[in-house]
Amino acid sequence: MSADQAHPDFGDDTSTRRRILSATTEVLARSGQSKLSLSEVAMQAGVSRPTLYRWFASKEELLQAFGVYEREMFDSGISKATAGLRGNEKLDAALQFIVSYQQSYSGVRVIDIEPEVVIAQLDRVIPVMRTRLERLLQGPNRTVKAATAIRVAISHYIVRSDDDDQFLAQLRHAVGIKAPAGD
């Protein structure tokens, strides 16, 4: 049961829920999942602990809702970045979004704090990301292209390197498109 289904009586106060989920991002980046403190999340969100518990009865429920929240944020960003575009322009906008989304993580990342947790989650994340990217591709090799691009993206997330400036070019190469003129 999702947090929304478990708490239907809390009305439309999605701003409080979003503040809590956004604060969870910050706390996870500092502490990791295993040391996540609901008190720290409440303080970061500017809400009382009872308010946090009205929305999320447990750490597990908060983490489950956070996973959904992150996917929704990513999907919303991709949708906005690709709105009104077609073909390779849409694909390129999606790749640009992936790069900017990953590079927007500043400072400490969960992978730096709890690599085993992130690596375990990749089992679920990689197929979802690959399927979403594959929908934007055409041709007989689209499955391989999508898988390759996602592996490149995951590699850039897991291992910091000196080639961040080539990240977008690497993704474009993986899916077989050229940079737009002027790039």
Side-chain angles (χ1 to χ4, degrees):
M1 179 181 319
S2 75
D4 290 329
Q5 292 168 327
H7 301 295
D9 299 329
F10 290 106
D12 293 327
D13 190 6
T14 57
S15 63
T16 299
R17 185 175 191 279
R18 284 199 179 278
R19 268 197 349 258
I20 293 168
L21 292 169
S22 180
T24 303
T25 304
E26 299 298 319
V27 176
L28 281 171
R30 286 193 303 266
S31 307
Q33 187 171 319
S34 62
K35 295 180 183 175
L36 180 71
S37 159
L38 294 182
S39 295
E40 193 177 348
V41 171
M43 187 171 68
Q44 180 77 34
V47 300
S48 67
R49 280 186 55 153
T51 297
L52 184 139
Y53 281 112
R54 274 184 274 164
W55 287 98
F56 307 102
S58 67
K59 177 178 168 178
E60 292 73 27
E61 192 175 312
L62 174 62
L63 288 171
Q64 181 181 8
F66 178 74
V68 171
Y69 170 76
E70 269 198 324
R71 283 189 299 278
E72 288 172 354
M73 295 297 288
F74 184 84
D75 289 344
S76 172
I78 284 273
S79 293
K80 287 178 185 171
T82 61
L85 301 175
R86 295 187 175 279
N88 283 349
E89 285 182 349
K90 185 172 189 168
L91 175 59
D92 195 55
L95 298 178
Q96 289 178 47
F97 176 78
I98 290 169
V99 170
S100 66
Y101 186 82
Q102 268 190 223
Q103 291 177 343
S104 70
Y105 286 105
S106 59
V108 178
R109 305 165 308 150
V110 177
I111 187 74
D112 297 329
I113 297 169
E114 291 183 317
E116 65 282 352
V117 171
V118 173
I119 289 170
Q121 292 173 346
L122 289 177
D123 241 5
R124 288 188 334 266
V125 171
I126 289 174
V128 171
M129 291 177 68
R130 184 183 58 235
T131 300
R132 288 177 181 161
L133 185 57
E134 189 176 337
R135 289 182 197 143
L136 299 174
L137 291 162
Q138 297 176 1
N141 292 327
R142 69 181 194 210
T143 302
V144 173
K145 289 177 180 181
T148 303
I150 294 308
R151 296 287 179 168
V152 168
I154 296 294
S155 174
H156 271 271
Y157 176 70
I158 291 176
V159 181
R160 292 181 190 230
S161 186
D162 63 348
D163 65 350
D164 264 358
D165 60 327
Q166 297 173 13
F167 185 13
L168 180 58
Q170 292 168 357
L171 290 177
R172 286 173 173 156
H173 181 76
V175 299
I177 62 171
K178 296 193 183 302
D183 247 8

